[in-house]
Each structure stands twice: as C-alpha cells, then as structure tokens.
Amino acid sequence: MANYLVTGANRGIGLEFTRQILHRGERVVACCRNPEGATELEALATAQNDDRLVICRLDVMQATAIASLPELLEKKGILIDVLIPNAGVAASSERLGLIQEETMLRVLHTNAVAPMLIAQAFADHLQAPKRNAKIICISSDLGSITYASGLTFGLSYGMSKAALNMGVKKLSSDLAHRGVMIVAMHPGWVQTDMGGPNARFTPTESTLAMLRVIDKLSMAQSGLFIDHQGQQLPW
Ligand SMILES: NC(=O)c1ccc[n+]([C@@H]2O[C@H](COP(=O)([O-])OP(=O)(O)OC[C@H]3O[C@@H](n4cnc5c(N)ncnc54)[C@H](OP(=O)(O)O)[C@@H]3O)[C@@H](O)[C@H]2O)c1
C-alpha cells in the first residue's frame, strides 16, 4: 500500500484525489487548513472504517507547520511515497491600477513558495532506496509564458505558477540525487470553485487521468511541466 499526501484536500481537486486514492486501496494523508469544517473529508473518514485516511491540519502559509509535518508522520509510522502539493489560490479583479501587494504576495506564497518548502521539508523523508518517491506539484497552463496573453487579468496567478514551474525544474537535480522525482502538473480546466462550472473536465475525469500519469512517471521525466494526460507543456 502506497502512502500519498495531498494539500488542500478538503475540496476541489484535492478532495477528489483523496477519494480516488482511497478507492484504489492506498492511504492518504489529507491536509487542510480547517479540519473542523472539512465535512466531506469527515464523511469519507466515517465511511472508510479503517486507518487509511489521516486528516491533518496544514495551512501551507505556515512554514513551521510544514517543517514539522514529516516528523509528525514518521512518529505515526507513516512514510509518504507520493507528495501532492495541490493547495492553491487565484486572485480575481486584477487589472492595471488594481494590483495589490497583499494579494500578490498571498498568491505567490501559497502557489509557489509553499510547494518549495513542502518539497524541501520532505526531501529526506522521501529518500529511500527503491521507494520510487514522487512529488507532483499541481501547476497550471496559465503559468506557461509561451501560452500567456498580454492581458493583466490573472497576473498573480500566472506569475505564481510560472515561479512554481521554475522551482520544480530547479529542485529536480538535487532531488534526483536522493532518488526522488518531481514534476509540475496541469490538471486541465476543471469544474471546481476555482475552475467554475463551465470548465472542460469534472474533478473525477481530471484526477483519474492524473493518477494514471502519476503511476507511470519515472525519473526520466523529473523536472518536466506536463498536463493531466502526460503531455509536455511549453514553459
Ligand atoms: N480548477 C482548475 O481549472 C485548475 C486549473 C489549473 C490548475 N489548478 C490548480 O489545481 C489546484 C487545486 O485547485 P482547485 O481547482 O481544486 O481549487 P479550489 O476548489 O479553489 O480548492 C483550493 C484548495 O486549496 C486550499 N488552500 C488554499 N489556500 C490554502 C492554504 N493557505 N493552506 C491550505 N490549503 C489552502 C483550499 O482550502 P480552503 O477550503 O481552506 O480554502 C482548497 O482546499 C490549485 O493549485 C490550482 O491552482 C486548477
């Protein structure tokens, strides 16, 4: 049984990852910033009737909480095989003249800084011969500079995911020395609170496709920016 850790697991794509991984018979450490309000995770835990769902408090803006998480899991005897920094935020109403420092820093921190701190915190924890450990940073095609339009709309979000992609590339060599691979993965345009109701894929479709790709990922693909079907995306 493999152990997965998902951040932002209380709704959207993170919740669907949690559902599907449990359905496959694996264990999930489902991290969310407010476990008391995570009713759908609680319902999954109740239905589960075993110890394969571990709900864990984690606000990814809190660096000390990130740093202490691996040891906390080790004390419970849990070693993570697949780490999925998924938690993310977008900012609405960004236009030239409406750009705000606080918003930009929050989006950059959540989407780019936090996944790097999470990868760093777990680097030793994931390192174990033959464990084939993987870090799947949930990115976005809106972080592709090649695809970007010249419009200010989505400024912080696009910048944050481009920064995340760079971070994935930059960490890939150091992690490879430890036998850990890392990718930036675009989930497609997905029907969640963030993606909205008109998005192309349901969370089920997107996550099913991502898990199929994740299963097959090898060290040869470390440092790449790929989509939910495994296709490489331009930086
Ligand atoms: N949906 C799409 O079309 C799409 C496309 C490309 C990429 N993505 C990426 O996919 C990932 C998941 O997005 P989604 O569509 O599922 O979005 P969502 O429905 O808005 O869910 C976002 C999740 O992130 C969590 N989160 C935000 N800030 C956090 C923090 N500081 N600490 C811990 N958790 C935090 C939220 O928790 P709370 O409930 O506590 O706020 C929630 O669980 C994101 O990285 C997003 O950028 C989504």
Side-chain angles (χ1 to χ4, degrees):
M1 179 172 67
N3 296 326
Y4 292 66
L5 184 147
V6 182
T7 67
N10 57 304
R11 61 188 168 98
I13 292 168
L15 178 64
E16 188 57 29
F17 263 128
T18 303
R19 271 204 198 99
Q20 290 195 24
I21 294 164
L22 285 173
H23 186 69
R24 288 154 51 121
E26 322 274 18
R27 176 182 285 129
V28 190
V29 177
C31 297
C32 56
R33 55 180 157 182
N34 179 22
E36 295 78 17
T39 48
E40 289 175 85
L41 278 182
E42 277 303 335
L44 279 179
T46 307
Q48 211 47 51
N49 202 23
D50 59 27
D51 65 354
R52 288 187 302 110
L53 174 57
V54 179
I55 301 173
C56 196
R57 183 185 305 280
L58 181 68
D59 181 337
V60 301
M61 300 272 279
Q62 295 185 352
T64 47
I66 289 173
S68 59
L69 189 54
E71 194 183 339
L72 202 130
L73 297 176
E74 285 155 22
K75 280 185 181 153
K76 291 180 192 229
I78 298 172
L79 282 181
I80 299 302
D81 302 284
V82 183
L83 182 65
I84 310 183
N86 160 79
V89 285
S92 55
S93 317
E94 273 184 321
R95 301 275 190 283
L96 195 59
L98 293 175
I99 300 167
Q100 291 185 342
E101 181 187 21
E102 189 277 329
T103 307
M104 289 198 86
L105 291 176
R106 182 172 52 86
V107 174
L108 285 163
H109 192 164
T110 309
N111 295 356
V113 177
M116 294 300 102
L117 295 180
I118 293 169
Q120 175 174 262
F122 276 88
D124 288 342
H125 174 102
L126 291 169
Q127 180 179 8
K130 298 189 182 158
R131 275 216 2 256
N132 202 14
K134 299 169 185 177
I135 304 177
I136 314 298
C137 293
I138 302 302
S139 184
S140 171
D141 62 353
L142 296 176
S144 165
I145 293 174
T146 306
Y147 287 164
S149 73
L151 302 174
T152 314
F153 180 75
L155 174 77
S156 300
Y157 187 75
M159 285 176 66
S160 71
K161 295 297 188 179
L164 172 64
N165 292 348
M166 175 63 90
V168 164
K169 179 76 182 177
K170 298 292 282 180
L171 285 191
S172 60
S173 293
D174 274 353
L175 288 168
H177 293 311
R178 296 162 188 254
V180 178
M181 70 95 58
I182 183 167
V183 291
M185 186 176 279
H186 168 54
W189 183 25
V190 187
Q191 294 159 21
T192 62
D193 293 339
M194 186 185 289
N198 298 324
R200 183 160 174 211
F201 301 106
T202 63
T204 310
E205 290 165 340
S206 163
T207 309
L208 200 59
M210 284 194 283
L211 283 171
R212 278 199 202 109
V213 173
I214 292 167
D215 285 344
K216 292 191 189 137
L217 284 175
S218 70
M219 192 57 81
Q221 287 141 300
S222 195
L224 294 185
F225 177 29
I226 56 177
D227 70 9
H228 63 299
Q229 286 160 338
Q231 298 301 313
Q232 203 171 334
L233 295 173
W235 300 112

